[in-house]
């Protein structure tokens, strides 16, 4: 126990902290400017100077560690004098344009000067003039206001790990700049904006549109973009979200945000939002009242159900919607329409991979705490770059490297290029062999140390059948023996390893087999699994039973015991026959077996492979309802379009990839209904009443019927600490046989299409976000210089990409980070989605589409005019 | 695709081996690049940072901090004249005027014919033989107007 005295107050401390931290813990305020709790200590601004008895000079409280018996004074006349002096120096060049500056009201310099500062300055010389830099579309820099605390550069380098900005020049001329001096070429996380204490680095999104004191409420909610589920705080004025800011101390992201989370909120009030229900009459949409539209939906669904049976109706739920929306939706499908034909785009990989992993390791195997990654001593990353798919999770892996852990990657991941990853790059065709090779060596390594786990005989039996076929791989060794040995040593020797699995592995040819190999490796090294998820509620949509074979609580439909439980709760009978999954729905629609489809918050025409086939299949439906916030490609095909409230306009809960349940809160008012309320209305018209007062009431029902969510309360979730396995009962243990099926090898020779996953976009929401569009405005095709050269394709040329399923014309970007055999196109922009070029082919085990084996040809068709 | 010559690439590679981290190798590597072009252009920074694996913003921060890295194009020969105390007392400021009048060479500027650039520098440790200057890497002391004319004649 350490005892110190600050301002005559005795403080007892468990462990040594800095004087500043000790003072804050006791409620004593010490002024700071360069100090920020997220950043490395710096001691540069000198405002936290304090008197310490028996020490000759004033000391910086932010860097000085407490020692037992230390006596500190923080507010004396001498200290105030020094602080006044420092502030006078800072004000030599600071422009004092507070009436015009957006920061006024929350400016740390303004507050300090108000408290300690001189009322007049003695310097008669001219102030430094630097023109405000508006070259960047999203971030504005005003270097006159900069006080050189370097919080932004320490954030950028030390926490975000991007090192995109730096202090340029020296002394009075120093200022902060990105490399270009103008536009940023960075990850646009905007974390420099959040730490800037003055108005030097600010967001342009809300420029001059509000004052901090005009914010009525800081509304804490969950980011709508990826599966990490960061806490964001919405600041609202006049029913417009002005700004989303992170919250320090929040359990998932602790004060950090990524570009999507910080700048992607403008879709909420977008002018393209659907405002009224639409009914197709004689081929064109006509505006309809809610009464008409809901009446028609209920009537048509009822007719089709009566005529063709429940099996002719299906529903697609949404990983963008809340748990409450999805719960009510699946209940509507199962109870009102009497079918298990319900699925979501989680089928694109997440669902299949998760059930495969859980079959081996038990339920909840992927529900690991994201921030724990930084404490691992080794992180194996396969299947894509986490820093673009789940950026905040990516930061934790970077932090792991900073703390001395090893990043082990298969494939080249640009997001870790400055973090000395151990990288094995086997090339497309040899990935499977590489995993087999790794597995073999780990087994060998563990046998020699006599530490085989022995706890999962089912899996071990399968592992014994693996024989690495590396002859092929070794023919053109892309991997040196030394690198491989180093990789194995770090992986097998790790005490707290983690394995991060991305969709590119799951959606690859032989993805099921590769996933088995990764699971086997994870098992042997006793690692924790993280399954990347690119939708805010991808886990929730499964937990709510929006799957053809699952009931809420992730309970298998095939177990009579669970069915019975829901039959009692819902006063209905449930079929034990699993319904159609999303791909089977498209097939069934195509061959006429499926007559009606209800799509909630999803865009299958765009987000499933092979747009033409999907579109043709949907056209054959007798009745298609699309409920969404925008007129999507799918909605354009619908018979009835129902406008729903978006993420920012409703209450509910999201479950993130670590299975933390968090509250989504309404930030702005808008006329309309939440997804679940629209469904409940339709159900009411079909004489199946679903009466809920609000989202809380839906959640309350979930906690009554779902064994997983039992006894949770809506209030306790508000804390954000509701993590798996909650209070309910998870299912444990391997149940079914582990299926292994090797994939076919890649066609050698032709270029293969790959789906790019840019950091700045998610699809449906991001393409309606003006700020993100300014950063990343259009679809491009990325190719390796070696691919481009023989085809005489230069940067910016228009290139036609053709596959068996279709063709697209896009500007080319030459990128050395792209693999030589691969052509990368994102699936974001309307009419230009990569998935439209891919024919549907499913992995036999995971039932996820194979997205990396489509041969394409490239042809230069023109040049962009300059 | 780098703008650095083969020799420079090799040299930077060798430099890198002598340092524990890439960042530590940044200073000598930037010198190599500066020797190639006479100054550090954005392309030169990009090339060095790419080669060493150091983020370009960091490389530029370093290169703009130290006075001996040039961040704008220089003439064929760089004259670095000291005007610190000893040199000043012994007439360095008159020499600055001389350069201006005779060659049209302003401090921080370059002659129209791109032959010389003038950089006013701090002490180069030749106080006993002041005024002193460097032309490129060559050192000259006990400067007078006449002597400077003679020296600069050697640099075309």
């Amino acid at each position: 126990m350490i005892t110190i005295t600050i301002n005559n107050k005795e403080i007892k401390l468990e462990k040594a902290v800095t004087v500043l931290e000790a003072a804050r813990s006791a409620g004593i305020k010490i002024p700071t400017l360069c100090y920020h709790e997220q950043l490395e200590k710096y001691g540069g601004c000198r405002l936290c100077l304090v008197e310490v008895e028996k020490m000759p000079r004033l000391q910086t409280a932010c860097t000085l560690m407490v020692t037992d018996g230390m006596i500190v004074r923080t507010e004396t006349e001498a200290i105030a004098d020094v602080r006044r002096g420092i502030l006078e120096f800072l004000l030599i060049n600071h422009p004092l344009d507070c009436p015009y500056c957006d920061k006024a009201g929350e400016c740390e310099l303004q507050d300090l000067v108000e408290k300690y500062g001189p009322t007049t300055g003695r310097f008669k010389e001219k102030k430094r003039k630097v023109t405000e830099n508006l070259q960047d579309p999203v971030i504005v820099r005003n270097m006159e206001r900069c006080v050189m605390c370097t919080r932004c550069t320490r954030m950028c380098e030390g926490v975000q790990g991007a090192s995109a900005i730096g202090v340029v020049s020296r002394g009075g001329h120093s200022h902060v700049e990105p490399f270009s001096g103008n536009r940023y070429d960075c990850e646009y996380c905007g974390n420099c904006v959040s730490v800037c204490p003055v108005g030097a680095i600010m967001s342009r999104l809300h420029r001059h549109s509000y004052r901090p004191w005009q914010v009525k409420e800081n509304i804490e909610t969950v980011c709508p973009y990826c599966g990490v589920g960061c806490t964001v705080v919405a600041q609202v004025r006049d029913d417009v979200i002005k700004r989303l800011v992170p919250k320090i101390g929040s359990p998932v992201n602790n004060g950090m945000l990524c570009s999507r989370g910080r700048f992607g909120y403008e879709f909420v009030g977008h002018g393209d939002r659907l405002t009224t229900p639409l009914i197709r009459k004689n081929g064109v949409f006509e505006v309809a009242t809610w009464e008409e539209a809901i009446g028609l939906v209920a009537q048509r669904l009822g007719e089709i159900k009566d005529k063709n049976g429940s099996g002719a109706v299906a529903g697609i739920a949404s990983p963008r919607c809340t748990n409450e929306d999805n719960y009510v939706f699946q209940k509507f499908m199962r109870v009102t329409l009497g079918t298990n034909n319900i699925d979501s785009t989680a089928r694109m990989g997440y669902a299949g991979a998760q059930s495969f992993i859980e079959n081996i390791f038990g339920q909840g195997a992927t529900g690991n705490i994201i921030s724990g990654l930084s404490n691992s001593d080794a992180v194996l990353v396969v299947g894509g770059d986490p820093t673009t798919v789940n950026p905040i999770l990516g930061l934790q892996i970077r932090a792991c490297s900073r703390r001395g852990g090893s990043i082990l990657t298969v494939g080249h991941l640009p997001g870790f290029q400055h973090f000395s990853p151990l990288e094995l790059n086997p090339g497309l065709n040899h990935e499977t062999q590489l995993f087999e090779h790794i597995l073999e060596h780990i087994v060998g390594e563990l046998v020699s140390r006599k530490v085989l786990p022995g706890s999962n005989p089912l899996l071990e039996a399968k592992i014994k059948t693996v024989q690495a076929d590396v002859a092929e791989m070794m023919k053109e060794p892309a991997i040196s023996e030394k690198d491989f040995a180093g990789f194995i040593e770090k992986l097998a020797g790790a005490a707290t390893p983690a394995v991060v699995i991305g969709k590119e592995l799951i959606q690859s040819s032989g993805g099921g087999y590769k996933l088995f190999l990764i699971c086997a490796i994870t098992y042997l090294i006793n690692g924790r699994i993280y399954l990347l998820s690119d939708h805010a509620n991808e886990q929730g949509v499964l937990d709510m039973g929006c799957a053809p074979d699952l009931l809420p609580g992730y309970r298998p439909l095939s177990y009579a015991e669970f069915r019975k439980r829901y039959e009692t709760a819902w006063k209905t009978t449930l079929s034990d026959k699993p319904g159609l999954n999303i791909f089977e729905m498209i097939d069934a629609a195509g061959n006429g077996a499926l007559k009606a489809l209800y799509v909630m918050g999803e865009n299958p025409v765009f987000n499933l492979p092979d747009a033409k086939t999907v579109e043709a299949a949907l056209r054959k439906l007798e009745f298609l309802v699309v409920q969404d916030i925008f007129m999507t490609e799918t909605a354009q095909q619908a018979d009835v379009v129902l406008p729903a409230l978006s993420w920012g306009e409703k209450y509910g809960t999201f479950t993130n990839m670590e299975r933390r349940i968090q509250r989504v809160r309404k930030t702005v008012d808008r006329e309309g209904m939440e997804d679940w309320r629209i469904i409940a209305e339709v159900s009411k018209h079909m004489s199946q009443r679903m009466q809920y007062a609000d989202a809380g009431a839906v959640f309350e029902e979930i906690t009554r019927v779902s064994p997983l969510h039992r006894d949770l309360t809506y209030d306790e979730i508000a804390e954000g600490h509701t993590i798996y396995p909650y209070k309910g009962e998870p299912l444990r243990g391997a149940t079914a046989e582990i299926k292994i099926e090797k994939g076919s090898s890649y066609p050698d020779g032709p270029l293969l299409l790959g789906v790019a996953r840019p950091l700045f976009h998610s699809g449906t929401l991001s393409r309606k976000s003006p700020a993100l569009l300014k950063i990343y405005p259009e679809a491009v095709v990325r190719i390796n210089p070696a691919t481009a050269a023989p085809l005489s394709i230069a940067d910016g040329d228009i290139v036609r990409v053709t596959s068996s399923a279709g063709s697209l014309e896009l500007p080319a970007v030459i990128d050395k980070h792209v693999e030589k055999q691969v052509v990368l196109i994102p699936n974001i922009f309307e009419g230009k989605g990569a998935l439209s070029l891919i024919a549907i082919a499913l992995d036999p085990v995971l039932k996820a589409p194979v997205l990396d084996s489509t041969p394409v040809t490239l042809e230069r068709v023109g040049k962009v005019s300059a | 695709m780098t703008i650095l010559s083969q020799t420079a690439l090799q040299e930077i590679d060798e430099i890198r081996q002598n340092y524990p981290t890439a960042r530590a190798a940044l200073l000598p590597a930037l010198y190599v690049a500066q020797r190639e072009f006479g100054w550090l252009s954005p392309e030169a920074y990009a090339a060095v940072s790419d080669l060493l694996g150091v983020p370009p913003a960091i490389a530029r921060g370093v290169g703009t901090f130290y006075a001996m890295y040039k961040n704008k194009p220089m003439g064929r020969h760089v004259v670095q004249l000291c005007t610190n105390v000893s040199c000043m007392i012994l007439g360095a400021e008159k020499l600055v005027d001389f350069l201006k009048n005779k060659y049209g060479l302003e401090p921080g500027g370059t002659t129209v014919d791109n032959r010389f650039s003038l950089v006013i520098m701090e002490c180069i440790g030749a106080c006993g033989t002041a005024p002193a200057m460097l032309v490129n890497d060559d050192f000259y002391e006990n400067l007078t107007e006449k002597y400077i004319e003679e020296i600069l004649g050697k640099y075309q």
Side-chain angles (χ1 to χ4, degrees):
Chain A
M1 185 72 84
I2 303 165
T3 308
I4 69 163
T5 311
I6 303 181
N7 298 349
N8 301 321
K9 184 174 175 182
E10 208 177 82
I11 301 167
K12 290 195 184 301
L13 298 156
E14 290 289 339
K15 54 174 188 169
V17 294
T18 62
V19 173
L20 179 67
E21 284 157 352
R24 289 200 173 174
S25 72
I28 298 165
K29 278 191 186 153
I30 298 175
T32 54
L33 204 50
C34 72
Y35 171 84
H36 194 278
E37 53 201 294
Q38 285 175 277
L39 306 175
E40 220 172 284
K41 298 177 175 47
Y42 181 58
C45 74
R46 320 306 287 175
L47 277 163
C48 68
L49 288 173
V50 292
E51 276 179 19
V52 182
E53 267 186 23
K54 299 191 180 119
M55 286 183 118
R57 288 174 297 274
L58 298 181
Q59 302 289 322
T60 47
C62 70
T63 55
L64 183 68
M65 299 301 285
V66 295
T67 50
D68 198 29
M70 194 178 247
I71 298 169
V72 180
R73 269 176 295 275
T74 71
E75 300 282 345
T76 65
E77 199 36 56
I79 293 171
D81 218 33
V82 169
R83 286 179 187 154
R84 190 158 45 244
I86 292 162
L87 289 166
E88 189 177 347
F89 272 122
L90 287 178
L91 292 180
I92 290 174
N93 275 320
H94 195 82
L96 296 178
D97 56 354
C98 309
Y100 168 84
C101 176
D102 267 351
K103 196 75 176 187
E106 57 176 17
C107 174
E108 293 176 33
L109 182 65
Q110 194 179 39
D111 293 348
L112 287 169
V113 172
E114 198 260 335
K115 184 165 181 201
Y116 297 98
T119 48
T120 52
R122 284 167 287 175
F123 279 79
K124 302 291 180 217
E125 290 81 358
K126 283 201 173 130
K127 284 177 190 275
R128 151 178 99 155
K129 286 300 289 179
V130 189
T131 321
E132 196 166 47
N133 190 308
L134 291 161
Q135 297 289 318
D136 191 85
V138 174
I139 298 172
V140 53
R141 287 193 321 281
N142 185 320
M143 281 301 131
E144 273 175 10
R145 297 180 186 146
C146 178
V147 291
M148 273 298 134
C149 65
T150 69
R151 280 199 209 172
C152 54
T153 55
R154 280 180 288 145
M155 169 55 84
C156 190
E157 186 180 352
V159 188
Q160 178 69 20
S163 300
I165 52 174
V167 176
V168 165
S169 201
R170 184 164 36 147
H173 301 287
S174 18
H175 55 282
V176 175
E177 257 181 22
F179 177 61
S180 77
N182 287 312
R183 214 188 138 118
Y184 288 78
D185 176 17
C186 72
E187 301 179 343
Y188 279 101
C189 63
N191 289 318
C192 52
V193 175
S194 24
V195 293
C196 182
V198 295
I201 303 183
M202 302 196 81
S203 160
R204 287 185 76 174
L205 273 62
H206 53 82
R207 189 168 156 83
H208 300 328
S209 70
Y210 82 115
R211 291 295 194 174
W213 58 86
Q214 287 167 328
V215 174
K216 261 202 278 172
E217 228 184 328
N218 283 306
I219 304 157
E220 201 174 308
T221 183
V222 184
C223 172
Y225 280 97
C226 80
V228 171
C230 293
T231 309
V232 292
V233 177
Q235 301 193 333
V236 180
R237 182 190 182 193
D238 297 339
D239 266 337
V240 176
I241 299 177
K242 286 294 176 191
R243 171 163 81 160
L244 285 191
V245 292
K247 185 182 150 194
I248 292 175
S250 67
V252 180
N253 54 320
N254 187 22
M256 302 295 284
L257 283 181
C258 74
S259 60
R260 278 173 270 164
R262 185 183 301 271
F263 298 119
Y265 55 83
E266 291 167 300
F267 69 86
V268 172
H270 199 284
D272 290 352
R273 283 283 299 277
L274 294 167
T275 51
T276 64
L278 301 169
I279 295 176
R280 187 184 296 279
K281 287 178 185 163
N282 303 320
V284 280
F285 283 125
E286 282 181 23
V287 171
T289 64
W290 275 107
E291 194 59 30
E292 275 178 295
I294 286 174
L296 181 64
V297 172
Q299 182 205 332
R300 294 290 288 126
L301 289 179
E303 283 169 8
I304 290 168
K305 180 191 162 196
D306 290 343
K307 192 171 138 224
N308 304 88
S310 294
V313 189
I316 295 177
S318 172
R320 281 192 278 121
C321 288
T322 62
N323 285 325
E324 291 69 17
D325 295 331
N326 285 306
Y327 172 80
V328 172
F329 188 60
Q330 66 81 34
K331 188 176 167 189
F332 171 71
M333 295 309 296
R334 291 204 161 97
V335 179
T336 313
L337 293 173
T339 177
N340 286 319
N341 291 344
I342 175 161
D343 206 5
S344 71
T345 48
R347 196 64 46 201
M348 289 290 283
Y350 191 80
Q354 184 165 68
S355 57
F356 186 86
I357 293 166
E358 295 197 339
N359 183 43
I360 295 176
F361 296 111
Q363 198 178 14
T366 61
N368 294 303
I369 304 297
I370 292 168
S371 58
L373 274 170
S374 63
N375 297 324
S376 291
D377 53 358
V379 180
L380 172 65
V381 185
V382 294
D385 193 339
T387 65
T388 66
V389 179
N390 293 128
I392 298 299
L393 181 143
L395 294 188
Q396 295 296 339
I397 303 177
R398 289 176 177 173
C400 155
S401 154
R402 224 177 265 123
R403 291 179 185 182
S406 318
I407 303 180
L408 309 166
T409 74
V410 175
H412 172 65
L413 308 181
F416 297 123
Q417 60 177 329
H418 297 306
F419 294 84
S420 351
L422 296 179
E423 191 177 293
L424 297 184
N425 209 347
L428 265 186
N429 245 331
H430 301 138
E431 210 174 72
T432 306
Q433 286 97 316
L434 175 67
F435 290 147
E436 288 172 340
H437 202 39
I438 293 174
L439 183 61
E440 233 179 27
H441 273 75
I442 301 259
V443 173
E445 186 87 7
L446 296 189
V447 166
S448 73
R449 285 195 260 140
K450 300 194 177 67
V451 285
L452 270 177
S455 58
N456 192 336
L458 266 178
L459 182 60
E460 283 185 14
K462 288 284 177 194
I463 291 174
K464 285 187 190 133
T465 68
V466 174
Q467 276 189 326
D469 175 17
V470 292
E472 190 66 22
M473 182 168 86
M474 286 308 172
K475 253 194 261 165
E476 321 160 50
I479 295 163
S480 75
E481 300 233 343
K482 187 171 155 246
D483 286 353
F484 185 79
F487 197 93
I488 295 291
E489 190 195 323
K490 290 286 182 198
L491 192 59
T496 53
V499 178
V500 177
I501 304 171
K503 284 222 170 68
E504 278 161 44
L505 179 111
I506 300 158
Q507 297 169 335
S508 70
S509 171
Y513 182 57
K514 288 180 200 165
L515 187 60
F516 157 73
L517 293 171
I518 291 296
C519 285
I521 292 167
T522 310
Y523 167 74
L524 293 175
I525 61 174
N526 194 19
R528 314 189 299 294
I529 293 184
Y530 293 80
L531 187 59
L532 299 185
S533 158
D534 40 20
H535 294 291
N537 204 26
E538 201 162 17
Q539 182 63 48
V541 77
L542 294 172
D543 284 351
M544 288 303 118
C546 292
D549 55 350
L550 290 180
L551 289 164
Y554 218 92
R555 289 301 191 262
L557 177 76
S558 53
Y559 285 27
E561 184 196 335
F562 294 128
R563 269 200 320 278
K564 193 147 173 274
R565 183 191 177 108
Y566 286 96
E567 284 173 341
T568 317
W570 292 336
K571 300 186 184 70
T572 187
T573 50
L574 295 170
S575 161
D576 63 343
K577 215 175 112 240
L580 303 174
N581 72 30
I582 200 164
F583 300 107
E584 291 162 346
M585 286 178 201
I586 300 300
D587 279 347
N591 66 31
L594 191 69
K595 304 288 182 197
L597 182 64
Y598 198 134
V599 180
M600 175 181 81
E602 189 49 80
N603 187 3
V605 172
F606 190 78
N607 290 332
L608 294 183
D610 203 349
K612 274 189 203 148
T613 305
V614 176
E615 227 171 322
L618 295 186
R619 218 172 289 130
K620 287 200 180 151
L621 289 169
E622 280 179 25
F623 191 61
L624 173 65
V625 193
V626 176
Q627 182 170 310
D628 212 315
I629 59 173
F630 290 109
M631 182 52 91
T632 62
E633 292 89 333
T634 309
Q636 275 156 10
Q637 304 248 324
D639 297 288
V640 178
V641 178
L642 301 170
L645 289 181
S646 78
W647 155 86
E649 297 139 2
K650 64 182 177 188
Y651 291 99
T653 57
F654 281 164
T655 305
N656 76 353
M657 56 184 284
E658 53 182 7
R659 301 197 171 194
R660 188 189 300 268
I661 305 178
Q662 302 188 95
R663 289 269 291 272
V664 176
R665 292 188 180 81
K666 181 162 105 175
T667 54
V668 295
D669 265 320
R670 186 181 172 101
E671 229 174 280
M673 285 190 272
E674 303 93 325
D675 286 284
W676 64 263
R677 206 183 290 271
I678 302 172
I679 309 272
E681 281 295 311
V682 175
S683 188
K684 199 170 84 187
H685 275 71
M686 299 183 75
S687 325
Q688 181 72 46
R689 281 179 77 80
M690 289 196 203
Q691 198 88 27
Y692 305 103
D694 51 26
V698 180
F699 189 79
E700 195 268 330
E701 179 173 315
I702 297 169
T703 61
R704 261 189 298 120
V705 301
S706 161
L708 188 62
H709 301 86
R710 202 176 59 198
D711 294 341
L712 282 175
T713 66
Y714 204 47
D715 288 331
E716 73 181 77
I717 289 168
E719 312 280 323
H721 296 298
T722 312
I723 45 173
Y724 196 79
Y726 321 131
K727 295 170 185 165
E729 317 128 18
L731 284 174
R732 278 284 165 208
T735 48
E737 168 77 357
I738 302 162
K739 273 201 236 166
I740 298 186
E741 206 157 327
K742 287 197 187 190
S744 51
S745 63
Y746 295 87
D748 223 359
L751 293 168
L752 297 175
L753 178 67
V755 183
R757 292 182 160 78
L759 165 63
F760 308 113
H761 280 286
S762 69
T764 312
L765 301 182
S766 73
R767 61 163 129 158
K768 296 289 183 187
S769 154
L772 296 178
L773 287 171
K774 282 176 197 155
I775 298 170
Y776 192 113
E778 57 172 357
V780 292
V781 47
R782 302 186 98 81
I783 44 181
N784 189 282
T787 313
L791 298 163
S792 15
I793 296 168
D795 230 10
D797 283 355
I798 304 291
V799 172
R800 186 182 299 131
V801 187
T802 312
S803 77
S804 62
S807 85
L808 289 177
E809 286 186 14
L810 302 165
V813 172
I814 314 289
D815 183 348
K816 66 172 183 183
H817 292 306
V818 178
E819 265 193 73
K820 283 192 187 107
Q821 209 193 340
V822 176
V823 169
L824 282 180
I825 300 176
N827 199 61
I828 311 284
F829 300 94
E830 205 165 337
K832 309 248 163 150
L835 293 186
S836 70
L837 297 182
I838 299 174
I840 301 182
L842 302 184
D843 181 87
V845 179
L846 303 178
K847 304 283 181 247
V850 176
L851 300 183
D852 69 342
S853 307
T854 306
V856 289
T857 54
L858 294 188
E859 186 191 353
R860 178 174 175 273
V861 291
K863 209 168 174 53
V864 201
S865 52
Chain B
M1 278 213 298
T2 178
I3 57 165
L4 293 167
S5 71
Q6 210 51 50
T7 342
L9 290 177
Q10 221 165 13
E11 213 172 317
I12 293 176
D13 253 2
E14 276 162 28
I15 286 168
R16 174 66 187 88
Q17 307 308 319
N18 296 334
Y19 291 87
T21 66
R23 282 192 190 195
L26 198 51
L27 287 176
L30 286 174
Y31 271 123
V32 173
Q34 176 161 289
R35 202 190 54 213
E36 292 258 302
F37 309 106
W39 68 296
L40 290 171
S41 62
E43 294 75 26
Y45 278 120
V48 171
S49 72
D50 200 38
L51 206 56
L52 291 178
V54 174
I58 304 294
R60 187 158 167 267
V62 169
T64 53
F65 182 87
Y66 295 102
M68 286 169 78
Y69 294 111
K70 310 298 181 231
N71 282 282
K72 57 182 183 186
M74 291 284 130
R76 289 197 297 284
H77 308 289
V78 181
V79 179
Q80 304 196 77
L81 182 67
C82 172
T83 57
N84 217 316
V85 181
S86 304
C87 291
M88 180 194 73
I89 291 169
L90 289 162
E93 291 189 333
K94 278 191 189 135
L95 297 178
V96 172
D97 289 341
F98 171 71
L99 287 171
K100 195 190 292 179
N101 298 332
K102 170 87 187 173
Y103 296 90
L105 190 51
E106 302 260 5
T110 300
T111 53
V112 191
D113 59 2
N114 206 34
R115 186 171 154 207
F116 294 115
S117 288
L118 175 61
V119 174
I120 303 296
M121 70 165 358
E122 301 307 324
C123 186
I124 43 176
C127 304
T129 50
M133 72 172 181
L134 290 170
V135 181
N136 301 336
D137 291 335
D138 309 328
F139 171 68
Y140 300 98
E141 56 198 349
N142 293 320
L143 298 175
T144 60
E145 291 182 5
K146 194 158 162 273
Y147 186 31
I148 284 188
E149 230 182 309
E150 188 185 309
I151 294 165
L152 294 190
K154 292 192 282 187
Y155 295 91
Q156 288 304 318

